[in-house]
Amino acid sequence: MTYFQRLVVNTLIFVSLAVVFPNMIHVRSLGIAVIAAFVLSILNMFVKPILTILSLPFTLLTFGLFSFVVNAVILKMTSYFVGEMNFGFSSFGAALLMAVIMSLVNAVVSEHNLNKEKE
């Protein structure tokens, strides 16, 4: 999946999750969702590898489930940099749930694109 496709998918995920879970995630507008997707991609590029390496023992002990916590921390950092009033979560648990859902949706979309490229 290209960078632009991933930005579009993450933007759509943010908007749809804000509609499905209005008490857990707040996205002010579609433009803010695009900015949040861009900030998330930058944080995934620079900060997530460091957090992944630092949390490797916990990730191994939990058989990989701690990676969702790392993703939730990245989402909370995205919320901080975009602005809590523009893009925010009601709690860390909400960010954790969004991280799990986003991981699942991104995995399905990536697998679909991979299968489509093989045909």
Side-chain angles (χ1 to χ4, degrees):
M1 192 159 44
T2 66
Y3 178 75
F4 180 72
Q5 289 173 332
R6 191 165 298 277
L7 274 180
V8 170
V9 167
N10 284 337
T11 300
L12 292 175
I13 292 171
F14 287 150
V15 171
S16 61
L17 288 178
V19 170
V20 174
F21 300 109
N23 294 331
M24 297 178 93
I25 181 173
H26 168 71
V27 179
R28 182 172 289 223
S29 67
L30 184 62
I32 294 296
V34 171
I35 292 170
F38 178 72
V39 170
L40 179 66
S41 70
I42 297 299
L43 289 174
N44 277 337
M45 196 179 328
F46 294 113
V47 178
K48 189 174 179 181
I50 297 167
L51 288 178
T52 302
I53 290 171
L54 290 176
S55 68
L56 191 60
F58 296 114
T59 304
L60 293 174
L61 283 174
T62 61
F63 300 108
L65 292 177
F66 196 77
S67 63
F68 292 125
V69 175
V70 172
N71 288 340
V73 168
I74 295 293
L75 282 173
K76 287 294 277 185
M77 289 175 69
T78 302
S79 174
Y80 174 77
F81 287 122
V82 173
E84 291 279 340
M85 297 310 244
N86 296 323
F87 176 77
F89 301 97
S90 61
S91 65
F92 186 77
L96 186 62
L97 178 65
M98 298 306 141
V100 170
I101 293 171
M102 285 186 70
S103 296
L104 291 174
V105 171
N106 276 321
V108 168
V109 171
S110 295
E111 182 68 26
H112 175 71
N113 279 347
L114 192 65
N115 288 339
K116 196 165 82 171
E117 289 175 2
K118 286 181 180 179
E119 293 177 356

